[in-house]
Amino acid sequence: LPRLWRAFRKIKKQILKERPAGVLFIDYPEFNMLMAKALRKAGYQGKLIHYVCPSVWAWRKKRMRTLVSTLDQLITILPFEKAYFSQTTLPVTFVGHPLASVIDSYTYSQLWEGETKPLFAIFPGSRRSEIELNLPLQLKVVELFAKTHPEWVFCISVAREELFSTIQKICSTSSLPYRLIPASQRYDLMKKASLACATSGTVTLEMGLHELPTVVTYRLSSLNYLLGRYLFKIRLPYYSLPNLILEEEILPEFIHKNLSPQAIVEALNQVWENRDSYQATCRLLKKELMIPDAHLKTAHMIGDLIDEMPLS
């Protein structure tokens, strides 16, 4: 906190000193919304633009008031977010999701070229606490799945290098052999894999854009569950981004208490049997999120907005 506060004061002081025609905030709403509010309070008259909408549709909806009262433009990367501001005066523009462009232009390696067996991919999360809660369950699921699919190869994606030891320790309790795949090869794994089980997060969107049939799990600690449900009141129809965007459960979700390994295996089998339909739906997801030349259009929009205020 002291380091963040020092950075906050330094940045604010520099902006007020330089008086730029505009400030572009990128994500990190806890810091950036406070900065926007502080700049307005200090008399800054330039344009304030925020890229990546805070998830007001999920929790802390009162943040909308701060966004509306301080910003000149909100740029969103999820198509449904604009509707939340339809009754306000804040200009909101959807510019497509950057992951859609990244994946569309990604150059895949020949890593799995010689692999003839079907691959089952596990994406256990990117935080140690997440992995410790979810990977043991996912391994139980895979062990059940392997009883009827012994020919499959099982791979675990490791989001960060420092997580290798944690994942290896958890996997040591399992009798099945696994391949650990570094983060640099996760898109190659998504491209090659035939089926996956993933901890809920941004990775589910990446998998949807790869048209990889996936079942989503998410086990929380009891404290986080109570905080989310009763303090922050996070109650959504779905929790995976592909489901939220398309407003239907294309990725089966098993959240917190609803985590029966047998039920998850049944969902995996069903997704696998209906993979053609699933992949067709995922192509609609890509269509929703992909705007050609989105980065150029966004840059021009920001430039036009800034040009409205002459430099002093």
Side-chain angles (χ1 to χ4, degrees):
L1 280 177
R3 181 176 62 83
L4 283 170
W5 183 240
R6 286 194 300 271
F8 183 91
R9 293 180 64 187
K10 183 178 180 180
I11 294 168
K12 176 187 169 186
K13 182 179 179 181
Q14 191 70 18
I15 291 172
L16 293 174
K17 178 184 176 182
E18 297 289 341
R19 295 283 172 178
V23 179
L24 175 62
F25 302 105
I26 301 178
D27 209 358
Y28 198 7
E30 290 78 9
F31 187 95
N32 285 328
M33 287 176 62
L34 192 62
M35 178 65 72
K37 195 172 181 180
L39 289 173
R40 284 291 187 238
K41 189 174 181 180
Y44 176 72
Q45 296 297 313
K47 301 294 184 180
L48 298 183
I49 306 156
H50 191 98
Y51 174 71
V52 183
C53 179
S55 50
V56 294
W57 39 270
W59 66 304
R60 292 175 60 196
K61 292 179 173 61
K62 291 181 180 179
R63 291 177 293 175
M64 288 178 63
R65 298 176 189 171
T66 302
L67 294 170
V68 172
S69 63
T70 57
L71 296 180
D72 295 285
Q73 177 76 48
L74 177 62
I75 302 171
T76 77
I77 61 173
L78 296 175
F80 59 80
E81 291 173 321
K82 185 173 181 177
Y84 281 83
F85 295 85
S86 59
Q87 303 301 314
T88 73
T89 57
L90 178 62
V92 180
T93 305
F94 168 64
V95 297
H97 200 291
L99 279 177
S101 300
V102 168
I103 291 170
D104 188 61
S105 60
Y106 185 79
T107 302
Y108 294 90
S109 72
Q110 302 303 312
L111 178 68
W112 305 100
E113 190 175 9
E115 183 61 68
T116 56
K117 294 181 178 180
L119 297 185
F120 188 112
I122 301 174
F123 293 81
S126 58
R127 294 191 297 272
R128 183 168 280 104
S129 59
E130 231 175 22
I131 293 166
E132 289 171 344
L133 284 167
N134 288 276
L135 183 55
L137 167 74
Q138 291 164 342
L139 292 178
K140 288 179 184 176
V141 168
V142 169
E143 287 164 4
L144 277 175
F145 182 85
K147 289 180 179 179
T148 53
H149 302 81
E151 74 282 9
W152 286 58
V153 174
F154 301 98
C155 302
I156 301 175
S157 178
V158 184
R160 290 181 286 115
E161 188 176 348
E162 57 267 33
L163 296 172
F164 267 94
S165 59
T166 299
I167 290 175
Q168 285 174 327
K169 183 178 179 181
I170 295 171
C171 288
S172 66
T173 62
S174 175
S175 58
L176 282 178
Y178 299 93
R179 298 183 191 174
L180 298 188
I181 310 300
S184 60
Q185 297 172 6
R186 72 186 187 282
Y187 281 176
D188 300 297
L189 177 59
M190 289 180 191
K191 184 76 171 178
K192 179 63 178 177
S194 299
L195 195 58
C197 183
T199 299
S200 184
T202 304
V203 70
T204 61
L205 182 58
E206 294 174 306
M207 296 165 91
L209 290 168
H210 277 93
E211 301 177 21
L212 173 57
T214 302
V215 172
V216 178
T217 71
Y218 202 73
R219 171 173 279 157
L220 299 93
S221 68
S222 297
L223 176 60
N224 282 342
Y225 174 77
L226 292 171
L227 288 173
R229 185 165 183 84
Y230 298 107
L231 180 60
F232 299 123
K233 298 180 180 178
I234 302 174
R235 297 179 186 179
L236 298 170
Y238 310 108
Y239 291 88
S240 303
L241 281 173
N243 296 345
L244 284 167
I245 292 165
L246 294 178
E247 299 181 322
E248 62 175 301
E249 192 180 62
I250 60 169
L251 279 67
E253 295 181 344
F254 293 84
I255 308 296
H256 194 52
K257 294 182 179 180
N258 183 25
L259 291 167
S260 159
Q262 185 59 52
I264 296 171
V265 170
E266 289 172 7
L268 283 165
N269 286 324
Q270 188 171 7
V271 168
W272 176 241
E273 290 168 7
N274 296 285
R275 56 190 178 276
D276 291 341
S277 174
Y278 171 88
Q279 289 168 342
T281 305
C282 284
R283 287 192 281 275
L284 295 177
L285 174 70
K286 183 176 181 180
K287 189 176 180 181
E288 283 280 332
L289 296 179
M290 179 68 108
I291 295 180
D293 298 322
H295 59 297
L296 291 175
K297 292 176 182 176
T298 306
H300 289 151
M301 179 184 68
I302 293 171
D304 291 342
L305 186 64
I306 295 298
D307 286 344
E308 293 176 10
M309 179 180 175
L311 286 168
S312 57

